[in-house]
Amino acid sequence: MAAKQTRVYARALVALAMLVMLAGCAGRVAVEDRHPDDPWEGFNRGVFAFNDTLDRAVLKPVARGYRWATPQPVQTGVGNFFSNLGEIRTTLNSLLQGKPGNAGRSTSRFLLNTTVGIAGLWDVATPMGITAEREDFGQTLGVWGVGEGPYLVLPLLGPSTVRDTGGLPLDMVSYPVYYVENDKVRYGLTALRIVDVRAGLLDQEELIQGDRYTFIRDAYLQRRRFEVSDGELGDDPFASEDFDFDEADFAD
C-alpha cells in the first residue's frame, strides 16, 4: 500500500514539474518578441526538444547503422519503393487541385514503376522524362483557400502547421501501407520507411546553422509556401540537391 502511494505521489510531482516547466516557457515567450508565424513557440520548443532527444537517442543511431550496413543500391531501391507508393496520393490531390496533367504523369509513374520497375524498386519513369510534383492534402487545403494557421511542432512527426495537421489523416489513409492487414508487416514497413528517410537526412544536417529550431521552422514554412503556391512566391529556397527538406517524408 505504501509503495502504491509513493508511486502516486511521484507521478503527481512529475506532472507538477512538467506544468511548471511549460508555464515558464510560456512566460518567457510572452515577454519576448514572438515570431508572427509561431505564436506557440514555447510549446513548440518543448515538443521539439522531446523529438530531438528521442531522435538522438534512438532514430539517428539506427539510421547510421542502416546506412553503414545496407548497400547503396538497396537503399535506393527501398527509397524508390516507398516513393512509388506516394504517387497514389499525388494523383488524388492533383485531381482535387484541378491539375489533370500532374495527375496523369503521377499515374503513369506509378504504373510504369510498379510493373517495369518491379514493385517500384527501380525508378524507370524518371529517365524517360516522366516526372510529377508531389502533392498532399495539406497543399490541397491551401489551394482551396484554407489559411495556413500557426506553426506547430507535432510529437514524433515534427514540423507542421494547423492546416497541414488537418490534412494528415487523409494523407495517412491515401497511403497503401495503411491498408496492410497484417500488423507485423504494416509496422515493419512503417519502421523501415522512417529509418530510410532519416538516413537520407544525415548529410543534410551539416547545413543547419545557428539555432536548430529556428532553422528548421523557417525552412519548413518557406518550402511549404513554395509548394502550395506552385512556385509563384519565387524560386524554391531549397531547390539545390544539397538540401531537400520535405515534411511529406514523415507523413506516411
Side-chain angles (χ1 to χ4, degrees), residues 17-116:
M18 291 180 66
L19 288 174
V20 171
M21 180 185 69
L22 290 175
C25 291
R28 285 194 295 273
V29 173
V31 174
E32 299 173 357
D33 292 334
R34 294 181 179 178
H35 189 285
D37 299 315
D38 190 9
W40 304 330
E41 184 173 346
F43 169 80
N44 285 336
R45 281 188 178 272
V47 178
F48 176 84
F50 168 78
N51 290 346
D52 195 51
T53 299
L54 186 63
D55 176 69
R56 293 175 185 272
V58 180
L59 188 54
K60 189 173 182 178
V62 172
R64 283 175 171 169
Y66 168 79
R67 192 167 70 169
W68 176 81
T70 307
Q72 184 57 52
V74 176
Q75 294 183 48
T76 300
V78 170
N80 288 341
F81 171 78
F82 288 114
S83 179
N84 186 55
L85 295 181
E87 298 291 354
I88 297 174
R89 182 168 59 201
T90 290
T91 297
L92 291 173
N93 283 281
S94 295
L95 292 173
L96 291 172
Q97 295 174 31
K99 302 174 181 177
N102 199 64
R105 290 189 295 273
S106 182
T107 301
S108 298
R109 286 181 55 80
F110 179 75
L111 294 176
L112 278 170
N113 290 338
T114 301
T115 55
V116 181

Side-chain angles (χ1 to χ4, degrees), residues 8 62 86 89 133 137 148 154 184 200 215:
V8 172
V62 172
R89 182 168 59 201
E133 296 295 327
F137 281 98
E148 180 179 76
L154 301 175
K184 292 183 179 179
F215 185 96

